[in-house]
Amino acid sequence: MPSNKSVSDAPIIQFHNCRILKDHKLRREDLWIREGKILNPEKLFFDEKGSADVQIDCKERIIAPGYIDVQINGGYGYDFSLETDNVNCGISVVAKKLLSTGVTSFCPTIITSPIEVYQKVLPRLALRDSQPAHGSALLVGVHLEGPFISEQKKGAHLSQNIRSYKARGFQDLLDVYGSLDNVSIVTLAPEMERSEEVTGELVRRGIRVSLGHSIASLSQAEAAVKQGATFITHLFNAMLPFHHRDPGIVGLLTSDQIPDGQIMFYGLIADGIHTNPAALRIAHRAHPSGLVLVTDAVAAMGLPTGQHTLGQQIIHIDEELHAYVAGTKTLCGSIATMDFCVRHFWRATGCSVEAALEAASLHPAQLLGIDSVKGQLEYGMDADMLLLDDELNVKATYITQQQQYMSCSELS
């Protein structure tokens, strides 16, 4: 039976012999797609009297939503925090190469940098439209990690680039960034003077505020949440360690001060280096619905060990794949890919396959407020999806139904 051309001339694609991640469970169902959107088969069959124009046998693979990385500093030799003439080239290269790691959408992240970097780089990071270039992941907003952070918890961020908004509040922030167009997330230290004012204004502009690189107490963190902060930048890293009398930002995972109906999300770097498996298990068991896997990847991701850059400083990748500020033992991001992080998190925590996949897809989409179109495989949503084997290795990546990547093993 041919497709109903009175509805659309576009072909209907049927993925069959698969398990689909839907409603938090892997379900043995077929997936139907047209014009890059997921179809309701009941409406297709009974209202349109339509059927598949193309059938794809998934060979018992898992179909999951595409991964969304909300904290990635660069990769494959390109550093998003360097002001160069090839910023757009770098974004394009990274966007293409991320497909093999299962990432279909991402937030390029700029760490604490000189003012001129923000004002030269940010205008070049314009959001793409809903149809990315063929063979590219979609840019869904910029993450500004600093420079309004704590000197005591700066991590790999350079002290001379740290700023304050003590004098003029939100206007100081605007003076540094130049523009907030295309910005989705701002990481700041909530204990800084006038942070509540700044947080409230960012939230009013539709920007997610994340708490990180901070020495905030739990009460200071809770005050930020009441102003609308909804995310924690790389939990456990660059913040005060958990203490039973004042658990600090970590305490937000079980705080009773989170407003009703609000989810407190938090990023975790599950690269086997930044966060011990026991800490991964603690976080997951305490607050699974807020867990967002991030890579915090630097320009050295996908490259050999040796000397590389992070912003304005040199970093060194050693033989054990640690990324350090050169000449120190200060960790400065990761070289892990998102598919590696998903697999490591799944094995380290003993969580379900569904939970591991949703931590890299549904939860970041919810954080960004794009879960009505991405991060799920519900009817009417974008067909950004992955074909995975039982060990969660990426076999193929699709963006709005178009196959953008296929592993060599699938081609053989």
Side-chain angles (χ1 to χ4, degrees):
M1 183 185 297
S3 303
N4 187 346
K5 300 304 181 184
S6 66
V7 175
S8 172
D9 289 332
I12 295 168
I13 304 173
Q14 175 191 7
F15 290 81
H16 66 99
N17 194 18
C18 55
R19 290 159 291 159
I20 302 170
L21 178 58
K22 187 176 180 182
D23 298 326
H24 315 297
K25 295 291 183 182
L26 286 178
R27 303 178 182 275
R28 189 167 289 280
E29 297 180 9
D30 292 355
L31 189 69
W32 301 77
I33 300 172
R34 178 174 57 203
E35 295 183 304
K37 300 290 184 179
I38 298 171
L39 295 176
N40 182 336
E42 289 191 6
K43 290 185 177 180
L44 173 64
F45 300 150
F46 297 112
D47 296 350
E48 298 186 30
K49 312 300 183 186
S51 62
D53 298 289
V54 178
Q55 292 184 316
I56 297 176
D57 184 352
C58 298
K59 303 176 182 178
E60 298 290 330
R61 302 296 197 197
I62 294 169
I63 295 182
Y67 299 148
I68 302 170
D69 193 351
V70 302
Q71 187 175 7
I72 173 171
N73 309 293
Y76 311 101
Y78 291 93
D79 187 334
F80 303 145
S81 297
L82 282 179
E83 192 287 301
T84 63
D85 292 332
N86 64 349
V87 170
N88 293 113
C89 174
I91 289 286
S92 295
V93 169
V94 173
K96 291 178 184 297
K97 290 184 177 291
L98 284 177
L99 296 171
S100 66
T101 74
V103 172
T104 56
S105 300
F106 69 109
C107 294
T109 303
I110 301 177
I111 66 164
T112 297
S113 300
I115 293 176
E116 58 268 22
V117 168
Y118 297 109
Q119 302 196 359
K120 291 180 180 178
V121 172
L122 277 175
R124 299 181 184 179
L125 298 181
L127 300 186
R128 304 178 186 189
D129 61 25
S130 60
Q131 299 294 328
H134 181 73
S136 296
L138 181 67
L139 192 160
V140 289
V142 180
H143 181 168
L144 300 177
E145 188 186 359
F148 303 100
I149 60 172
S150 166
E151 171 71 28
Q152 293 95 314
K153 288 294 178 182
K154 67 181 187 299
H157 295 219
L158 289 173
S159 295
Q160 62 263 35
N161 295 329
I162 293 174
R163 296 288 182 269
S164 164
Y165 31 60
K166 178 179 178 180
R168 296 191 298 156
F170 191 74
Q171 187 58 50
D172 284 331
L173 179 142
L174 286 179
D175 289 345
V176 170
Y177 294 148
S179 170
L180 290 170
D181 293 345
N182 306 315
V183 173
S184 290
I185 304 173
V186 172
T187 292
L188 54 79
E191 72 276 12
M192 294 178 65
E193 190 171 341
R194 302 187 74 165
S195 280
E196 290 187 37
E197 166 195 338
V198 169
T199 295
E201 183 58 32
L202 286 168
V203 171
R204 278 189 286 276
R205 293 172 180 239
I207 295 170
R208 274 59 183 172
V209 172
S210 186
L211 312 180
H213 288 277
S214 165
I215 58 169
S217 65
L218 177 57
S219 62
Q220 289 170 322
E222 288 172 335
V225 171
K226 290 174 182 177
Q227 290 298 317
T230 53
F231 193 43
I232 301 170
T233 296
H234 43 50
L235 185 75
F236 301 124
N237 291 276
M239 62 186 61
L240 292 177
F242 178 89
H243 190 281
H244 59 282
R245 291 195 184 92
D246 188 341
I249 289 176
V250 177
L252 289 176
L253 271 63
T254 57
S255 171
D256 60 1
Q257 297 300 305
I258 308 299
D260 290 343
Q262 179 174 313
I263 298 176
M264 194 67 212
F265 294 98
Y266 60 97
L268 271 182
I269 310 172
D271 63 348
I273 295 170
H274 278 78
T275 312
N276 186 278
L280 294 177
R281 291 190 288 271
I282 288 170
H284 175 251
R285 293 172 190 177
H287 185 32
S289 63
L291 197 154
V292 175
L293 290 176
V294 299
T295 63
D296 198 22
V298 297
M301 179 180 68
L303 299 180
T305 58
Q307 301 291 328
H308 299 280
T309 66
L310 176 62
Q312 290 70 49
Q313 58 189 325
I314 303 299
I315 67 173
H316 179 75
I317 310 301
D318 68 15
E319 297 298 328
E320 296 179 342
L321 304 183
H322 295 79
Y324 293 124
V325 174
T328 77
K329 289 297 181 181
T330 300
L331 284 172
C332 55
S334 167
I335 61 170
T337 57
M338 182 61 83
D339 58 323
F340 175 89
C341 291
V342 170
R343 290 191 297 271
H344 177 70
F345 175 75
W346 171 48
R347 292 165 182 157
T349 63
C351 72
S352 66
V353 167
E354 293 93 335
L357 295 173
E358 289 187 341
S361 55
L362 173 61
H363 298 174
Q366 291 172 328
L367 164 67
L368 294 172
I370 59 174
D371 53 308
S372 63
V373 289
K374 297 188 184 294
Q376 303 182 76
L377 299 177
E378 299 294 335
Y379 304 144
M381 299 187 68
D382 292 346
D384 295 355
M385 59 194 199
L386 310 176
L387 208 61
L388 305 164
D389 65 18
D390 287 344
E391 296 302 312
L392 305 187
N393 297 300
V394 178
K395 296 300 180 181
T397 302
Y398 296 81
I399 298 182
T400 57
Q401 89 184 29
Q402 300 298 315
Q403 186 180 85
Q404 309 283 14
Y405 164 80
M406 178 172 282
S407 73
C408 293
S409 63
E410 293 296 288
L411 293 171
S412 60

